Amino acid sequence: MKKLLMMLLALCLCAGMVAGCGGGDKKAAAPQKALKVGTEPTFAPFEFQKKDSKDFDGFDMDLIRAIGQKMNAKVEIQNMGFDALIPALNAGNIDIAIAGMSITPERQKAIDFSEPYYKSGLVVVVNKDNTTTKSIADLKGKKIAVQIGTTGADKAGKVEGAKVTAFNTNAEVFLELKNKGVDAVIIDSPVAAYYLVQGGKDSAKIVGDVMEAESYGIAFKKGSKLTAEANKALADLHKSGEYDKLYQKWFGNAAKAK
Ligand code: ARG
C-alpha cells in the first residue's frame, strides 16, 4: 500500500514537472517586449496596406517582422506621415522606423540607422504621352510632384525654376501626374517600377537614368540599444537565406519588368 502511494506520488510529481516544464517553455518562446514600429504605407512594394484588411504588407513589413522574431519581440506597426517618423523616434513615440528611408548624412545627424538593407535610387516619371521630357535636365521650370520630406523632394528642389508640390502620400503624387496637374514625379526607382507593373504603365513611364545611389536603413533614436540588436538580426537573416527569399518574393518580377 505504501509502495503504491509512493508510486502515485512520484507519478504526480513527474506529471507536474512535465506540465511545469511545458509551461516554462511556452513562456520562454513567447515574445517578451513589444516594438513600436512606424511606417508610411504608400510606398509599395516596401510598405502598403492591403485593400480590405488594411494589414501592413510589403518587403519592409516582412523584413521588420522577421527581425522582430529574431529579437524575440512583438512588432506593432503603425501608420504615420513620412515627415513625422524622425520626430516620432526622437520623442520616443516609436522605437523603430522602417519606410524605405534613405540613409543620408543630414538624417544621420538626427537619428541612427541600421546597416543598409536595400540599394535604391531616384527616377523621373512622366505621362506616357510626354515626348519632350527625356531626363531630369528637361524639367527646368516644370511642375514636379513629390512626397513630403523625401530625398525625391530634395532632388526636385534643386531643379532650376521648377514648381514643386509636396504631397503627404504617394497615392496623391501619382494621381496628380495622371490628372496632369504636374509634368513629372521624382520618386524611388523600385517604387516607380512597381507602380508601372501594377497598372501605372497604361498612363505613365520612367525617363532617364536612375539618379543618386541611395541605401535604405532602418531608423532608431540616437543611441538606441536596438540598433545593434537589429543589425545582428539582419546579419542572421542574410546568413540563413531568409533575406534573399524576401527579396525574391518582392522584387523577383518587378526587377524583370523594369
Ligand atoms: N527613400 C526616400 C527617402 O528616404 C523615400 C522614402 C519614402 N518612404 C515611404 N514609406 N513613403 O526619402
Side-chain angles (χ1 to χ4, degrees):
M1 188 64 194
K2 221 181 189 177
K3 238 186 192 168
L4 197 76
L5 226 101
M6 285 295 278
M7 259 169 75
L8 263 173
L9 196 77
L11 225 100
C12 280
L13 257 171
C14 263
M17 260 165 69
V18 169
C21 278
D25 262 2
K26 258 185 217 134
K27 236 189 201 155
Q32 306 195 317
K33 49 187 179 233
L35 291 175
K36 282 192 236 150
V37 175
T39 195
E40 193 290 313
T42 66
F43 202 63
F46 294 92
E47 42 267 336
F48 58 96
Q49 283 176 293
K50 284 190 189 155
K51 271 210 176 74
D52 307 320
S53 63
K54 295 277 170 224
D55 281 349
F56 292 97
D57 204 3
F59 177 75
D60 283 355
M61 304 294 95
D62 281 351
L63 185 65
I64 199 64
R65 287 184 182 118
I67 288 174
Q69 222 166 41
K70 293 254 175 244
M71 289 167 69
N72 196 22
K74 196 167 156 259
V75 166
E76 288 168 3
I77 300 168
Q78 53 182 285
N79 176 353
M80 46 210 318
F82 186 73
D83 57 342
L85 291 168
I86 293 178
L89 282 173
N90 284 330
N93 294 338
I94 54 172
D95 306 302
I96 297 177
I98 185 162
M101 193 184 281
S102 304
I103 302 172
T104 67
E106 180 82 38
R107 288 174 182 159
Q108 277 172 320
K109 284 182 208 152
I111 48 167
D112 287 344
F113 280 104
S114 69
E115 292 297 324
Y117 69 87
Y118 186 92
K119 280 202 180 73
S120 192
L122 298 170
V123 287
V124 173
V125 184
V126 297
N127 280 315
K128 221 175 166 180
D129 56 10
N130 181 333
T131 51
T132 52
T133 311
K134 303 252 177 336
S135 78
I136 194 161
D138 301 318
L139 289 183
K140 282 181 194 144
K142 294 277 161 53
K143 288 186 227 154
I144 309 172
V146 294
Q147 185 178 32
I148 198 162
T150 59
T151 49
D154 290 344
K155 187 81 184 166
K158 289 181 195 133
V159 176
E160 210 184 298
K163 188 179 172 300
V164 181
T165 315
F167 293 89
N168 283 322
T169 69
N170 289 308
E172 295 164 282
V173 168
F174 282 125
L175 195 64
E176 190 68 4
L177 179 69
K178 201 173 180 183
N179 292 340
K180 308 214 162 155
V182 289
D183 303 293
V185 160
I186 299 182
I187 194 163
D188 299 51
S189 136
V191 173
Y194 194 81
Y195 171 73
L196 296 187
V197 170
Q198 294 296 307
K201 65 174 175 314
D202 292 342
S203 64
K205 62 181 178 186
I206 292 173
V207 291
D209 297 328
V210 177
M211 312 170 284
E212 315 284 323
E214 297 185 357
S215 287
Y216 297 163
I218 305 165
F220 305 87
K221 187 179 185 154
K222 267 223 166 301
S224 168
K225 290 198 186 80
L226 295 173
T227 313
E229 281 183 51
N231 276 334
K232 161 112 190 21
L234 192 59
D236 286 348
L237 292 173
H238 274 294
K239 250 180 255 150
S240 68
E242 280 173 84
Y243 177 94
D244 288 341
K245 257 194 214 145
L246 288 185
Y247 192 95
Q248 202 47 38
K249 172 179 170 189
W250 290 104
F251 306 107
N253 293 326
K256 265 179 240 147
K258 222 218 126 186

